[in-house]
């Protein structure tokens, strides 16, 4: 793998044509960028590839310098431009029944298989394949490439990059997040808040259960309360028909507690998440749960043992996205995608963070999330070619076909 020859700066590839999106996708899939691993090898590959076309890259590292975001600009730097954004990390393939090698791309029946083909290295490959075309044109606005780390574990990596971009004088006018939407234009998605609740009880022999504080039982009361909140949020008056399901949801996904059946458990923790419609504050759920704990549960617990406690710990969060369907961002997305049938998606993206940074954001990319995160993940060749065509339309929108450096030099 990783057999593409790096070009020298400001030259074309020696003895070979510019690589296609399919060739580049095979390269990217060969990097194991599961979120628990470093993404630096892939980022360095992309940096070197861009340098071959005279495009400089900025790297924004995490504190351990084991991962990095990449930001690059093609075209004029004295004005805002259009961001093509995607994440470099993928979810694990461990324990899944793959019939092909996850980190080596394979092709069968018009499908390209491998971890990340759909979510979302297919989009990154199309963007990189379009770089020679972008460089050759006299763009009226710059095209920015923003490739992040740790999206899969809470949209963590993109935040320091956005904080740095916010300090700059020219804010981008649009961001296209290339998450898999089957190239359908998407203007919205839900936000997410993930929390961990720690319940500290008091242990004793189960024969004397009333003299202890059963952390699992108190955790179950909190979980029941979350279910009640979720049922209330599902009522018709809270619906937004653009989304599926059309309401904010609450669910408990993990729970741990207890050591033995004959010991009253002194600790229990559970993880829950809130998936929110745009405009709904997930903190309302945690505030209500915390108030319920403080008013109704901890007084009873501490009446038995003073050290008992219930504590909430944030795990991750990202905002929802809701881009107006009558604005400039939606109009450009319609041109790029060839459709004004705007929709929403159930999964989250980094789009809400770009929107919070004052950058209008849309979502459109190749493949389907129906294949994402699953064994034998794939993107179809047709979808990859469709994304290539979308990026050609972007280049043509920003510069007429005849306005290229080669033709005007």
């Amino acid at each position: 793998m990783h057999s593409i020859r790096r070009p020298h700066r400001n030259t074309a590839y020696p003895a070979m044509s510019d690589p296609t999106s399919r060739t580049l996708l095979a390269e990217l899939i060969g990097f194991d960028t599961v979120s628990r691993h470093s993404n630096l090898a892939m980022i360095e590959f992309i940096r070197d590839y861009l340098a071959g076309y005279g495009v400089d890259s900025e790297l924004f590292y995490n504190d351990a310098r084991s991962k990095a975001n990449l930001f690059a600009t093609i075209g004029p730097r004295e004005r805002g431009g259009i961001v093509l954004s995607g994440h470099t990390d993928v979810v694990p393939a461990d324990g899944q029944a793959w019939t092909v090698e996850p980190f080596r791309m394979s092709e069968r029946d018009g499908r390209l298989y491998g971890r990340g083909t759909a979510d979302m290295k297919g989009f990154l490959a199309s963007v990189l394949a379009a770089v020679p075309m972008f460089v050759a044109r006299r763009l009226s606005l710059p095209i920015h490439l923003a490739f992040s780390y740790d999206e899969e574990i809470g949209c963590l990596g993109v935040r320091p990059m956005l904080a740095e971009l916010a300090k700059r004088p020219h804010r981008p006018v649009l961001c296209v997040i290339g998450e898999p939407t089957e190239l359908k234009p998407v203007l919205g998605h839900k936000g997410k808040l993930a929390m961990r609740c720690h319940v500290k009880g008091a242990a004793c022999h189960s024969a004397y259960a009333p003299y202890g504080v059963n952390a699992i039982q108190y955790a179950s009361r909190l979980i029941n309360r979350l279910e009640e909140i979720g049922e209330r949020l599902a009522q018709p008056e809270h619906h937004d028909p653009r989304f599926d399901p059309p309401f904010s949801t609450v669910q408990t996904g993990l729970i741990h507690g207890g050591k033995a059946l004959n010991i009253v458990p002194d600790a229990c923790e559970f993880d829950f998440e809130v998936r929110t419609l745009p405009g709904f504050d997930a903190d309302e759920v945690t505030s209500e749960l915390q108030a319920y704990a403080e008013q109704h549960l901890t007084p009873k617990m501490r009446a038995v043992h003073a050290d008992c406690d219930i504590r909430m710990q944030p795990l991750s969060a990202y905002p929802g996205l809701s881009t107006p369907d009558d604005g400039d961002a939606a109009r450009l997305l319609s041109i790029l995608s060839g459709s004004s049938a705007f929709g929403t998606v159930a999964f989250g993206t980094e789009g809400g963070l770009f929107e919070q940074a004052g950058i209008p954001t849309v979502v459109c990319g190749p493949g389907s999330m129906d294949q994402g995160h699953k064994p034998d993940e794939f993107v179809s060749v047709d979808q990859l070619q469709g994304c290539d065509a979308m990026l050609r339309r972007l280049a043509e929108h920003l510069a007429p076909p005849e306005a290229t450096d080669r033709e005007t030099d």
Side-chain angles (χ1 to χ4, degrees), residues 273-286:
E273 68 172 20
V274 188
R275 300 255 178 182
T276 59
L277 295 171
F280 178 73
D281 187 355
D283 288 337
E284 292 184 23
V285 174
T286 55

Side-chain angles (χ1 to χ4, degrees), residues 55-278:
V55 178
D56 293 326
S57 301
E58 297 178 77
L59 302 187
F60 300 88
Y61 291 92
N62 64 351
D63 290 341
R65 296 187 70 82
S66 59
K67 301 180 181 182
N69 301 305
L70 180 144
F71 187 82
T73 298
I74 302 170
R77 293 177 176 271
E78 69 278 3
R79 63 195 74 169
I82 295 174
V83 179
L84 302 177
S85 176
H87 60 83
T88 61
D89 60 320
V90 298
V91 297
D94 315 46
Q96 294 185 331
W98 284 76
T99 64
V100 296
E101 168 58 43
F103 297 103
R104 180 176 180 179
M105 195 181 79
S106 55
E107 182 174 356
R108 185 172 68 243
D109 300 327
R111 296 174 174 179
L112 304 173
Y113 291 87
R115 174 55 85 218
T117 46
D119 185 21
M120 56 178 296
K121 291 181 178 180
F123 177 74
L124 300 186
S126 282
V127 170
L128 293 176
V131 166
M133 173 180 59
F134 294 154
V135 170
R137 292 174 179 269
R138 293 194 182 279
L139 302 173
S140 58
L141 290 174
I143 293 174
H144 307 289
L145 312 185
F147 300 161
S148 64
Y149 65 86
D150 283 357
E151 187 271 350
E152 295 289 5
I153 54 176
C155 299
L156 302 181
V158 74
R159 298 169 196 257
M161 179 165 58
L162 285 174
E164 177 59 33
L165 296 180
K167 303 174 185 177
R168 302 187 177 182
H170 304 293
R171 178 180 298 167
V173 298
L174 172 67
C175 175
V176 179
I177 305 282
E179 291 277 7
T181 68
E182 298 180 301
L183 297 173
K184 297 173 183 176
V186 166
L187 299 181
H189 64 71
K190 293 181 179 180
K192 177 183 173 181
L193 172 66
M195 299 287 294
R196 177 166 295 158
C197 179
H198 300 268
V199 181
K200 180 181 179 183
C204 70
H205 194 289
S206 62
Y208 302 96
Y211 302 126
V213 178
N214 190 313
I216 291 178
Q217 290 181 351
Y218 276 95
S220 70
R221 297 184 189 183
L222 291 162
I223 292 170
N224 287 338
R225 185 67 174 209
L226 284 171
E227 184 178 8
E228 292 173 4
I229 295 172
E231 290 173 351
R232 190 169 69 244
L233 292 175
Q235 294 302 305
E237 61 266 27
H238 302 301
H239 285 197
D240 184 334
R242 297 177 300 163
F243 293 88
D244 180 23
F247 46 84
S248 299
T249 59
V250 183
Q251 76 101 21
T252 303
L254 291 170
I255 186 167
H256 302 282
K259 296 181 176 66
L261 183 58
N262 62 351
I263 302 174
V264 171
D266 63 353
C268 183
E269 65 179 33
F270 62 91
D271 295 354
F272 67 95
E273 68 172 20
V274 188
R275 300 255 178 182
T276 59
L277 295 171

